[in-house]
């Protein structure tokens, strides 16, 4: 468990593009529509971005004891009461323009955030784990799907290189290429989440956006993700 869960929601603003809520949000966050927008306060952060078809996706990370979830899904059912409490909190923490978006979102829900310590192997003979099964990660690297797709690409390339008759070398090469990459990415994503949530880390002081130095802020940039644009596909390219 990461130490926090996320309130999430998607506000559909088709037909209400010129409403006070949407105009206010665009004024509060002028970059919205061009990139992922982050807002940070001590001990919490929110991510929002515009989706196709006039929708705003928002994700608000909240430090907490591990919530009790039923079944295997990380998505938690929420009661009316919980939603009302969330709205009240939102007005205390975020600019009113954002709190209003949260309030007007139909059916917000909670995702509890987990990852897994990197595995020492993802290959057992001809059995290969790829994607989330191999490396569930927190979302702060904004990379989870890319990691899964690249696993599939690399596995495909290895199988092509060694031929379907050699199911020993191809998985081995796959593991040697991907494991070092995904290991670093999972740990980096975990670290980014803890920094942004103001949670302790052994090698740095707790992050507080109100007094953070420019260097500390640069540390949060997505491009710092290991192998951001140069993850190897075949061993010859390493
Ligand atoms: C709420 C949420 C939001 C996310 N948002 C983002 C995002 O914005 N960007 C991003 O990059 N990533 C995001 N992710 C992560 C992303 O969805 C995963 O990293 C990605 O889907 C992993 O792909 P996968 O193929 O490994 O696993 P999955 O997409 O989970 O696919 C596994 C498939 O296997 C099936 N399956 C399971 N068990 C069996 C079985 N026994 N037999 C047959 N089939 C089985 C499942 O039904 C599923 O279809 C999000 C994840 C969640 C939960």
């Amino acid at each position: 468990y990461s130490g926090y869960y996320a309130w999430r929601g998607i506000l559909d603003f088709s037909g209400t593009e010129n409403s006070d809520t949407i105009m206010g949000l665009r004024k509060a966050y002028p970059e919205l529509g061009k990139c992922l927008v982050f807002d940070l306060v001590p001990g919490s952060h929110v991510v929002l971005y515009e989706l196709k078809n006039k929708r705003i996706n928002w994700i608000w990370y909240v430090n907490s004891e591990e919530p009790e979830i039923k079944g295997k899904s990380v998505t938690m059912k929420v009661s009316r009461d919980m939603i009302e409490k969330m709205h009240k909190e939102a007005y205390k923490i975020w600019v009113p323009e954002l709190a209003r978006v949260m309030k007007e979102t139909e059916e917000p829900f909670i995702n509890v955030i987990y990852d897994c310590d990197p595995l020492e192997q993802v290959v057992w003979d001809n059995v290969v784990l790829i994607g989330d099964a191999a490396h569930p990660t927190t979302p702060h690297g904004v990379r989870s799907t890319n990691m899964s797709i690249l696993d599939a690409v690399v596995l495909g390339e290895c199988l092509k290189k060694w031929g379907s008759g050699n199911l020993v070398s191809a998985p081995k090469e796959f593991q040697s290429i991907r494991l070092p990459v995904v290991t670093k990415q999972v740990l980096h994503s975990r670290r980014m989440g803890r920094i942004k949530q103001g949670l302790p880390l052994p090698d740095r002081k707790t992050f507080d956006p109100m007094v953070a130095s420019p260097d500390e802020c640069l540390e949060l940039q997505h491009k710092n993700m290991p192998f951001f644009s140069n993850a190897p596909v075949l061993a010859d390219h390493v």
Side-chain angles (χ1 to χ4, degrees):
Y1 175 59
S2 62
Y4 45 91
Y5 62 80
W7 271 105
R8 311 190 54 161
I10 294 178
L11 177 71
D12 184 343
F13 63 94
S14 48
T16 56
E17 291 90 333
N18 299 321
S19 63
D20 287 352
T21 303
I22 296 302
M23 301 293 270
L25 190 72
R26 291 203 189 284
K27 206 163 165 204
Y29 301 105
E31 300 298 321
L32 191 69
K34 296 182 211 149
C35 57
L36 292 185
V37 174
F38 289 82
D39 201 347
L40 295 101
V41 293
S44 188
H45 77 289
V46 71
V47 186
L48 57 153
Y49 49 95
E50 204 167 332
L51 300 170
K52 280 185 179 171
N53 303 325
K54 314 226 178 285
R55 289 174 303 156
I56 304 278
N57 190 13
W58 57 267
I59 307 160
W60 170 16
Y61 296 95
V62 180
N63 292 343
S64 149
E65 297 286 307
E66 184 176 1
E68 234 181 77
I69 41 177
K70 297 199 175 83
K72 288 185 183 164
S73 172
V74 296
T75 301
M76 211 170 107
K77 282 222 159 128
V78 291
S79 62
R80 204 59 250 162
D81 195 39
M82 288 163 81
I83 295 175
E84 272 164 26
K85 275 196 191 132
M86 180 270 283
H87 291 159
K88 275 196 196 134
E89 272 306 292
Y91 276 99
K92 281 191 219 155
I93 292 181
W94 303 114
V95 293
E97 293 85 349
L98 175 58
R100 199 166 170 184
V101 165
M102 292 170 170
K103 190 160 186 200
E104 290 182 17
T105 299
E106 280 178 29
E107 297 186 21
F109 59 98
I110 286 180
N111 279 153
V112 186
I113 308 295
Y114 292 92
D115 68 6
C116 177
D117 286 334
L119 299 178
E120 281 171 15
Q121 62 188 100
V122 289
V123 166
W124 291 262
D125 300 324
N126 60 352
V127 176
V128 183
L129 289 187
I130 64 168
D132 275 8
H135 42 71
T137 179
T138 58
H140 313 289
V142 204
R143 262 290 176 277
S144 325
T145 307
N146 305 53
M147 289 161 79
S148 306
I149 292 171
L150 211 48
D151 283 350
V153 170
V154 172
L155 185 58
E157 289 295 328
C158 291
L159 288 168
K160 194 160 82 185
K161 175 174 162 185
W162 292 98
S164 56
N166 188 345
L167 289 183
V168 175
S169 302
K172 260 195 193 159
E173 184 166 6
F174 165 80
Q175 175 168 276
S176 73
I177 296 169
R178 288 301 288 159
L179 200 53
V181 174
V182 296
T183 295
K184 283 195 174 157
Q185 291 184 326
V186 167
L187 294 177
H188 180 82
S189 183
R190 181 186 286 179
R191 181 178 174 82
M192 287 301 108
R194 292 192 70 81
I195 293 176
K196 288 176 184 174
Q197 287 301 102
L199 291 167
L201 280 164
D203 61 339
R204 78 179 317 287
K205 67 177 172 41
T206 307
F207 181 76
D208 177 349
M210 309 314 274
V211 294
S213 67
D215 278 351
E216 278 186 286
C217 296
L218 287 177
E219 193 184 347
L220 303 182
Q221 290 188 322
H222 278 144
K223 65 181 180 190
N224 295 331
M225 166 61 101
F227 304 99
F228 181 70
S229 58
N230 60 350
V233 174
L234 262 190
D236 315 346
H237 304 159
V238 175

